[in-house]
Amino acid sequence: MLLDRVASVAAKKGEQKATDDQCAYVKTLQAGNEGELGGPVKLTEPHEREVWMS
């Protein structure tokens, strides 16, 4: 699986810090849940989240 290989290589590289003129881009696929404590819980549909950090 491609993501397994990417994660494996990234883990071996160690921490990399962005310089003042760089940004980090993170794209994730997330799902949440809706419900009440002690009651049934329903998963929400997965959606993409994109974040730029400096």
Side-chain angles (χ1 to χ4, degrees):
M1 182 175 239
L2 175 63
L3 291 180
D4 288 340
R5 290 191 305 234
V6 170
S8 177
V9 170
K12 292 176 186 174
K13 294 278 185 179
E15 181 179 346
Q16 296 181 357
K17 297 199 180 240
T19 62
D20 290 340
D21 64 337
Q22 295 178 316
C23 294
Y25 171 73
V26 180
K27 183 176 182 179
T28 56
L29 181 62
Q30 322 179 226
N33 60 50
E34 297 176 348
E36 294 185 21
L37 186 60
V41 175
K42 179 181 177 185
L43 291 176
T44 61
E45 290 295 318
H47 63 279
E48 288 184 349
R49 179 176 183 255
E50 298 176 278
V51 179
W52 285 92
M53 295 177 271
S54 59

